[in-house]
Amino acid sequence: MLRGRGVRPGPARLRFGGERHRGRGGAGGTVPSVAREGGVEVLAKKNPGKIEQLSLMGDAAPPVPPTASRRRPRREGRKTPATGKSGLQLPVMGPVELSGGKPPVSPSDLPVSPPGPPASPPVPQPEAEPRTAATGAARVGRRADGPRRATAEAMAARQREISVAEFFTKNRHLLGFDNPAKALLTTVKEAVDNALDACEEAGILPDIEVAIVQVNGDDRYRVAVRDNGPGIVKAQIPKIFGKLLYGSKFHSFRQARGQQGIGISAAGMYGQLTTGRPMTIISRTGKGKPAFRVTLRIDTQKNQPETLSDDPIEWEFDHGTQVEIELAAVYRRGTRSVEEYLQQVAIANPHARIVYHPPVGQGEAVVYERVTEELPPEPKEMKPHPYGVELGMLLKMLLSTKSRTVRAALVQDFSRVSPRVAEEICALAGIRPDARANRLAPEEVEALHKAMQQVKLLAPPTACVVPIGEELLRRGLESRFRGEFFTSATRPPAVYRGNPFVVEVGLAYGGDIPADEPCEVMRFANRVPLQYQKGACAITEAVIDVAWRNYGLQQPRGSLPIAPMVLAVHVASVWVPFTSESKEAIAHYPEILRELKLALQECGRRVSLFLSARRRAIDAGKKRAYIQKYIPHISGALRDILGYGEAKERETIECLEYVLERSRLEGLKAVEDAIASTETDGGGAAGEEASDA
Amino acid sequence: MPDPAMLRAIRKTAQEVHERILARRKPSLRFPLRSLQNVRYRPSVGFFELLGKTKERTLTVGTVKTFAQTLRMMALSKNLVETDDIATKREAYYVSKNWGEARFDEQPESDQVMEDIEALFRVNREQIGFIPEEKGGEVAGRLTVLDKDRDSGKTLRIDCTRFGSGAYSIPISVEDLGFQTDAQFILAIETAGMFQRLVKHNYWKKANCILVSMGGVPTRACRRFIRRLSDEKKIPVYVFVDCDPYGIANIYRTLKVGSGNAAHVNEFFCVPKATFLGITPQDILDYKLPTHPLKDVDLKRAADAVKNDPFIQHHQAWQDAFSLLVKMGVRAEQQALAKHGLNYVIEEYLPRKLAHPERFLP
């Protein structure tokens, strides 16, 4: 568990925007309507206290996965075994565009929801769901050669596009809403990420306030996040918060916090699903302008926002945005808690000031002050590097390129491709350089793609990646942990598969950090803390791989070192590779692992110097005490021989002690100098041991 | 009688140390290194001379204790000189029990410090008030020693022929003794047994010599006695010891050129003109003496002597003698001559050897 050093803030400045947030009433307490389309119904239950779920009815449709905490009783008789044929549907998604142009999921990869017996039991309600005739027939198993249940045409009639929003409801785990505790964390994360991004884009030092209150008993909370950013224009508010996959970060080849734009609207939708309550957004773009409070919900079928109200209000802040979402959640403390998350956010964003108000009874309010008044430099956007582009992406780029010829497209749209290199690529692929770029056949594009991987190219430019920086990382750790020794190392930019990346490590040692537990490892990707799947992450693997014993630390085989140590490891990249779509663990590319280990080893060397210096200091203290025992004898013997008086003897003793202390300090300084000289060496050189006195 | 020069020297050294302390600089004392690694041997000079290496005691973990002890012992020494008193090495060790943390745990530590002070001032320990414990050696034969009576101041004439089967014990301080003799040579003998036999049979009468029993490695007093006697009366010194590396490299060598340990005072406490009568390795062969095999410790001593002892290194004859001994792999005692008859040594061996003193090993 992190031992943070937060400061108690004053009373909360953030006020929840809703009039009341308990029970019904106020804006946004209406029941979503039932819509019917193409034989499929969308049903929502009006019951504010309980977890709700949308259910898609009809046995042709994939069933809704049960929620984590409760299972509804199965309806009698629905014992139809899952068959491979009827009811199997591949959800069809519209063109999903994610930042970087690399769809994490191509259509063939989508998880297929098994049909199974429609396990969605209806809630016993007055409004009975109509059943199709097919359902009734499905109650009885049928023989293989009996009459079919449905014809292809009938099935076709039922097939339709599933909207992104619907997809989301079935696959919340992809976006971080698997369970109620995680859902709370994800909601906070999305809102905070947005706040930081907005402030940075506008060039404002972020001041972020997060408050969570409990609503109506155990499992429902209202999350509010306020920032002092540039605010959002009223007309854009519904689109940004009420529409999935809307954002400005797609297609940008530069380091960015979230690698997809789903974020906050998904959180809003989750809240809506689980509590029926809409989102509330307050925003103001400047001093002379009015502040608006907007409540909205998402129409999940159409992936459209539905504004329920938007009124101008009095707001005490000159500019900024406040988002409030009410959702079913579980509040955790300790590891993987909101508290810990925000603490890590503060470390990764030393220019931000973060205030956190936990729910009543869950601890004190905390302030994480900024440790620098400077905003980090903006990462520059770069063009993709040929090594890092996938075939599908290349296809898309060529289709939409502004250049006429293939050669021009290669030169203009990619980095590190000169006209000569472009010709080389074309030659290798067997394509004429002046062929029309957007008229290439698929095989030709494939050949081009292959050629691009083979041609020798310079490494991509690295201005698109901006690390936190050694000093700020260290200062961040210093202000959060009461340690004895702090150090940090930022590696020079490196490349994996055409993508530039930078690895940084910050290390805190000793002091109040507990010594008999495995060291704590904080993981960051593009300044966003990673909380889950620690075991699967490349960062963890790298830490375990380093031989910490060489630096004087205890380390059981194959695990983390046991030491009073905290590590903050940051991987910044245009495209951070994750092991899965949930984006919680970094993938184990050898180039990344190598850089991680080098940075960790650099910090390890410094810790080892510190430890040996400390040992020497202790030894020096012991030596001094030993020598001191004989000082009275020296002065006494001299007095016997020379015959001087007591005053002189005292003076003699004093001089001897002075000489002793001075030589001890000289010894210590020599050691400190040795450590300092290795640090300015820029790493890599082992420190020379200062000779003993 | 208190020695003012000595007192001045002690005070001066202490003053230097004290001034450094008051100037807030690290005080230290430097002593000459007393070991075989720090001596040289020149036949023209005849004894081990001290070279330049020193050891330092100062305010470090390794040396501060002995630094304090040295100063304490210097203070004791000053008292002894001032009050014209003496303290044996053992007594000095017990006095140190007053020094709290700085006391000596074992006698050898105390001895070391004392010798370091000797070396520092380049004096013999008697001059700083300390006297040794060891017996000084015994003398019988054609010699009259002239000593002074403590109370009356009158001269005492001690006739070494008149001790019967006993002998005259060499005192601790031999500086003021006088000698009267007409002996032809001095025979320095290792073992008390051999000395006894020669005395009993009045060999000194037969050979007209002075017999000195060294009793192992000769003490400084013994060496000084022999040196003064032989220098003053101009009579040669022949050494008769067991044939083993210890007898040669420790007993004979120390008598002849001094030791590493006493390098600071060797000049007066050795007999460069002494020569080696026997038992030589060649004698073992010539006289077919019963032998014992050389033990590991013997072999080690032999190798060490050949390699590190400047005296042995200088004389090829000794190098050859050692290699012969090591090759034979045996050692023989002087009393082994008894095989050929108890008095073989008196009747045959010694006379034969003494017929050709020029053949003795250097």
Side-chain angles (χ1 to χ4, degrees):
Chain A
M1 160 122 178
L2 282 182
R3 308 264 175 95
R5 276 199 288 175
V7 176
R8 277 201 71 175
R13 296 185 66 195
L14 177 156
R15 282 176 303 124
F16 283 86
E19 306 291 357
R20 279 171 286 157
H21 47 258
R22 295 191 166 271
R24 321 164 193 202
T30 54
V31 179
S33 55
V34 174
R36 183 196 285 252
E37 211 175 293
V40 172
E41 289 180 339
V42 170
L43 229 152
K45 181 170 179 294
K46 177 185 110 166
N47 193 341
K50 301 216 178 104
I51 293 176
E52 303 175 300
Q53 54 182 19
L54 282 184
S55 47
L56 294 176
M57 295 304 302
D59 56 341
V64 176
T67 55
S69 51
R70 275 174 239 170
R71 291 186 177 276
R72 299 282 167 78
R74 292 194 166 213
R75 171 76 85 87
E76 279 298 298
R78 295 193 173 248
K79 296 194 186 73
T80 320
T83 61
K85 294 184 191 161
S86 66
L88 184 69
Q89 274 188 341
L90 283 180
V92 176
M93 291 188 52
V96 174
E97 290 182 5
L98 305 169
S99 108
K102 283 191 239 232
V105 179
S106 55
S108 54
D109 291 349
L110 285 176
V112 173
S113 320
S120 52
V123 180
Q125 295 195 111
E127 315 106 280
E129 317 81 68
R131 279 170 229 303
T132 60
T135 335
R139 283 187 223 193
V140 181
R142 74 180 257 292
R143 292 180 9 241
D145 54 346
R148 288 202 197 169
R149 289 184 195 151
T151 61
E153 287 74 12
M155 292 201 300
R158 289 200 293 266
Q159 285 167 359
R160 57 164 189 77
E161 272 188 38
I162 291 191
S163 78
V164 169
E166 290 176 33
F167 171 73
F168 163 70
T169 65
K170 312 275 168 36
N171 297 290
R172 305 178 205 179
H173 59 283
L174 289 187
L175 303 159
F177 292 93
D178 328 11
N179 64 61
K182 199 165 168 186
L184 185 63
L185 194 55
T186 308
T187 303
V188 170
K189 169 175 148 28
E190 298 297 346
V192 167
D193 277 357
N194 280 2
L196 287 168
D197 284 341
C199 289
E200 281 166 19
E201 208 171 312
I204 302 173
L205 280 174
D207 257 335
I208 300 179
E209 210 172 336
V210 177
I212 302 182
V213 291
Q214 201 172 19
V215 178
N216 268 1
D218 264 344
D219 48 8
R220 204 148 120 165
Y221 291 86
R222 191 167 180 88
V223 175
V225 177
R226 181 191 65 76
D227 65 60
N228 64 339
I232 304 175
V233 169
K234 185 171 101 156
Q236 288 289 86
I237 292 180
K239 288 189 215 153
I240 290 177
F241 291 90
K243 192 178 170 73
L244 268 62
L245 299 179
Y246 183 92
S248 64
K249 295 235 191 68
F250 313 120
H251 293 297
S252 74
F253 292 92
R254 61 186 181 126
Q255 175 185 337
R257 270 192 185 81
Q259 279 169 203
Q260 54 190 99
I262 279 191
I264 193 65
S265 39
M269 182 139 100
Y270 179 83
Q272 189 179 299
L273 285 179
T274 57
T275 67
R277 310 273 303 162
M279 278 186 279
T280 302
I281 298 110
I282 299 175
S283 188
R284 186 174 187 183
T285 55
K287 198 159 175 184
K289 319 230 179 83
F292 286 96
R293 179 171 67 217
V294 175
T295 55
L296 61 91
R297 52 175 295 278
I298 304 176
D299 180 337
T300 56
Q301 260 202 298
K302 295 187 203 144
N303 194 16
Q304 293 289 350
E306 227 181 279
T307 306
L308 302 172
S309 75
D310 64 9
D311 312 309
I313 57 162
E314 287 296 318
W315 206 41
E316 53 198 303
F317 304 101
D318 287 345
H319 54 85
T321 307
Q322 178 169 318
V323 181
E324 291 174 33
I325 296 176
E326 195 168 318
L327 67 156
V330 163
Y331 189 83
R332 263 221 196 104
R333 303 189 70 183
T335 47
R336 306 202 203 104
S337 63
V338 173
E339 245 177 282
E340 192 173 282
Y341 177 78
L342 289 174
Q343 185 176 44
Q344 294 186 2
V345 167
I347 289 177
N349 297 281
H351 55 292
R353 179 177 188 272
I354 300 177
V355 180
Y356 174 52
H357 304 278
V360 171
Q362 297 286 8
E364 306 268 294
V366 174
V367 173
Y368 299 108
E369 297 289 353
R370 59 173 61 91
V371 291
T372 177
E373 299 288 318
E374 281 179 32
L375 279 168
E378 269 191 273
K380 297 202 177 6
E381 190 161 338
M382 76 155 204
K383 295 186 235 168
H385 189 270
Y387 288 170
V389 162
E390 292 191 354
L391 181 54
M393 180 64 184
L394 178 61
L395 256 167
K396 207 174 72 55
M397 285 175 75
L398 288 174
L399 283 174
S400 57
T401 182
K402 297 193 176 71
S403 304
R404 208 166 147 272
T405 63
V406 170
R407 175 178 52 226
L410 287 174
V411 171
Q412 293 301 325
D413 298 345
F414 292 90
S415 71
R416 300 302 198 216
V417 180
S418 66
R420 190 193 60 75
V421 170
E423 307 233 336
E424 203 183 320
I425 295 175
C426 293
L428 205 54
I431 294 178
R432 286 176 32 234
D434 54 359
R436 284 291 286 262
N438 53 4
R439 290 208 195 139
L440 289 178
E443 318 84 64
E444 292 180 304
V445 177
E446 214 173 312
L448 202 62
H449 182 248
K450 223 163 136 194
M452 281 163 68
Q453 307 305 314
Q454 289 170 343
V455 141
K456 197 153 183 291
L457 294 165
L458 283 174
T462 51
C464 49
V465 178
V466 173
I468 300 171
E470 285 180 2
E471 179 167 346
L472 291 183
L473 194 50
R474 200 167 49 229
R475 272 202 250 159
L477 283 172
E478 278 171 14
S479 66
R480 312 296 166 223
F481 294 95
R482 263 186 279 262
E484 270 173 85
F485 173 71
F486 297 89
T487 187
S488 57
T490 299
R491 294 286 304 161
V495 175
Y496 83 94
R497 285 189 49 189
N499 290 307
F501 72 96
V502 168
V503 166
E504 310 179 271
V505 170
L507 186 153
Y509 186 92
D512 286 358
I513 305 173
D516 43 7
E517 294 167 11
C519 73
E520 185 162 349
V521 181
M522 295 191 279
R523 303 174 288 135
F524 300 94
N526 284 351
R527 292 176 183 251
V528 172
L530 303 176
Q531 298 281 76
Y532 294 88
Q533 291 199 14
K534 183 167 98 159
C537 188
I539 290 178
T540 310
E541 179 180 328
V543 175
I544 291 177
D545 246 2
V546 168
W548 294 96
R549 279 210 208 104
N550 292 345
Y551 307 119
L553 302 181
Q554 253 192 317
Q555 184 181 22
R557 199 176 268 282
S559 39
L560 294 170
I562 297 185
M565 185 163 77
V566 174
L567 288 167
V569 183
H570 178 222
V571 177
S573 178
V574 166
W575 184 264
V576 178
F578 290 103
T579 56
S580 74
E581 298 328 313
S582 46
K583 302 201 192 277
E584 287 154 359
I586 298 182
H588 298 228
Y589 279 93
E591 298 91 334
I592 297 183
L593 281 170
R594 180 173 170 271
E595 290 294 311
L596 282 167
K597 278 181 78 168
L598 287 171
L600 287 165
Q601 284 164 339
E602 178 60 41
C603 291
R605 269 194 290 275
R606 309 227 190 108
V607 169
S608 138
L609 281 177
F610 164 76
L611 286 176
S612 59
R614 194 169 65 169
R615 247 194 319 269
R616 248 193 297 262
I618 294 173
D619 285 347
K622 285 192 200 149
K623 282 181 189 170
R624 188 183 183 287
Y626 173 77
I627 294 176
Q628 207 163 13
K629 282 193 293 188
Y630 295 102
I631 286 182
H633 293 285
I634 295 172
S635 67
L638 287 172
R639 185 179 178 189
D640 269 349
I641 299 173
L642 299 171
Y644 48 72
E646 203 177 306
K648 202 70 170 172
E649 183 172 2
R650 265 180 279 142
E651 188 188 344
T652 309
I653 291 180
E654 192 196 303
C655 291
L656 280 167
E657 305 226 320
Y658 172 86
V659 168
L660 183 59
E661 178 62 16
R662 190 183 58 203
S663 69
R664 183 184 79 94
L665 291 175
E666 277 167 9
L668 278 182
K669 181 156 187 314
V671 168
E672 281 171 16
D673 286 346
I675 297 180
S677 73
T678 61
E679 295 205 330
T680 53
D681 271 351
E688 292 277 87
E689 299 238 327
S691 55
D692 275 77
Chain B
M1 206 138 11
D3 178 355
M6 194 65 237
L7 286 173
R8 268 203 303 276
I10 294 177
R11 210 166 260 144
K12 179 160 174 287
T13 303
Q15 191 73 23
E16 281 167 4
V17 170
H18 192 227
E19 272 165 16
R20 260 188 90 87
I21 293 174
L22 290 180
R24 294 178 180 229
R25 288 175 34 220
K26 227 174 177 182
S28 78
L29 285 171
R30 271 191 187 282
F31 304 91
L33 194 61
R34 292 173 296 111
S35 85
L36 284 182
Q37 274 98 26
N38 195 32
V39 296
R40 73 170 165 190
Y41 172 70
R42 291 182 296 174
S44 53
V45 168
F47 56 89
F48 281 164
E49 290 169 286
L50 206 52
L51 291 172
K53 291 194 206 154
T54 58
K55 58 183 174 186
E56 191 190 20
R57 294 194 180 134
T58 177
L59 284 187
T60 61
V61 170
T63 63
V64 68
K65 184 172 181 185
T66 40
F67 183 64
Q69 287 171 331
T70 306
L71 287 173
R72 281 274 191 218
M73 190 159 297
M74 270 172 58
L76 171 61
S77 186
K78 166 186 161 278
N79 280 337
L80 291 171
V81 173
E82 258 179 352
T83 56
D84 197 25
D85 200 350
I86 49 153
T88 64
K89 284 154 70 174
R90 190 72 180 158
E91 284 170 333
Y93 163 71
Y94 279 121
V95 166
S96 84
K97 299 297 184 185
N98 282 317
W99 299 343
E101 292 282 357
R103 67 176 174 275
F104 293 112
D105 292 323
E106 300 281 345
Q107 172 93 33
E109 294 170 23
S110 158
D111 292 348
Q112 265 286 347
V113 171
M114 183 188 300
E115 283 162 16
D116 284 333
I117 297 177
E118 265 191 319
L120 182 65
F121 294 114
R122 300 285 200 281
V123 294
N124 196 28
R125 65 179 79 105
E126 282 79 10
Q127 289 173 267
I128 46 173
F130 298 110
I131 56 170
E133 295 281 342
E134 309 91 24
K135 273 176 61 63
E138 299 184 316
V139 184
R142 288 218 182 279
L143 172 67
T144 302
V145 176
L146 303 168
D147 201 346
K148 225 185 279 285
D149 182 87
R150 187 186 174 78
D151 297 324
S152 65
K154 271 173 49 186
T155 306
L156 292 168
R157 297 178 64 85
I158 303 158
D159 185 354
C160 296
T161 61
R162 301 277 301 268
F163 279 90
S165 42
Y168 167 70
S169 279
I170 298 176
I172 285 169
S173 180
V174 302
E175 226 43 50
D176 299 324
L177 298 175
F179 305 109
Q180 278 176 352
T181 181
D182 58 356
Q184 304 275 346
F185 61 91
I186 300 169
L187 188 64
I189 299 155
E190 177 185 341
T191 60
M194 180 59 70
F195 180 77
Q196 274 295 312
R197 173 159 298 284
L198 296 178
V199 166
K200 190 169 174 68
H201 290 269
N202 283 349
Y203 179 74
W204 48 268
K205 213 186 271 180
K206 213 181 292 179
N208 193 19
C209 66
I210 301 169
L211 299 170
V212 179
S213 169
M214 296 188 286
V217 176
T219 61
R220 286 192 206 175
C222 179
R223 305 195 311 256
R224 185 71 185 136
F225 182 90
I226 298 176
R227 169 72 171 273
R228 286 202 59 230
L229 180 55
S230 77
D231 278 357
E232 236 172 76
K233 298 300 171 190
K234 302 201 179 5
I235 37 180
V237 178
Y238 303 136
V239 184
F240 185 28
V241 297
D242 288 343
C243 183
D244 60 28
Y246 191 77
I248 300 166
N250 284 55
I251 297 174
Y252 173 67
R253 189 227 46 200
T254 301
L255 177 68
K256 172 129 187 177
V257 298
S259 66
N261 205 31
H264 56 297
V265 289
N266 275 339
E267 190 176 353
F268 305 108
F269 294 92
C270 63
V271 188
K273 296 205 181 97
T275 51
F276 191 85
L277 182 151
I279 311 278
T280 65
Q282 190 61 42
D283 287 345
I284 298 179
L285 294 171
D286 294 343
Y287 291 85
K288 297 188 185 33
L289 295 174
T291 61
H292 292 95
L294 286 174
K295 288 187 282 203
D296 279 347
V297 60
D298 297 319
L299 290 167
K300 230 173 132 209
R301 189 75 194 83
D304 190 49
V306 167
K307 194 157 153 251
N308 295 327
D309 193 314
F311 170 70
I312 307 286
Q313 282 179 329
H314 184 86
H315 291 285
Q316 188 59 41
W318 276 117
Q319 303 253 354
D320 296 340
F322 267 103
S323 17
L324 179 55
L325 189 64
V326 169
K327 201 168 96 177
M328 291 195 297
V330 294
R331 59 187 167 86
E333 293 167 26
Q334 54 186 185
Q335 293 186 61
L337 289 162
K339 175 184 168 210
H340 300 296
L342 285 171
N343 285 322
Y344 184 80
V345 57
I346 296 174
E347 286 151 12
E348 292 289 334
Y349 178 76
L350 283 174
R352 257 198 242 174
K353 277 280 178 168
L354 287 165
H356 294 282
E358 69 283 0
R359 291 191 201 157
F360 290 170
L361 285 166

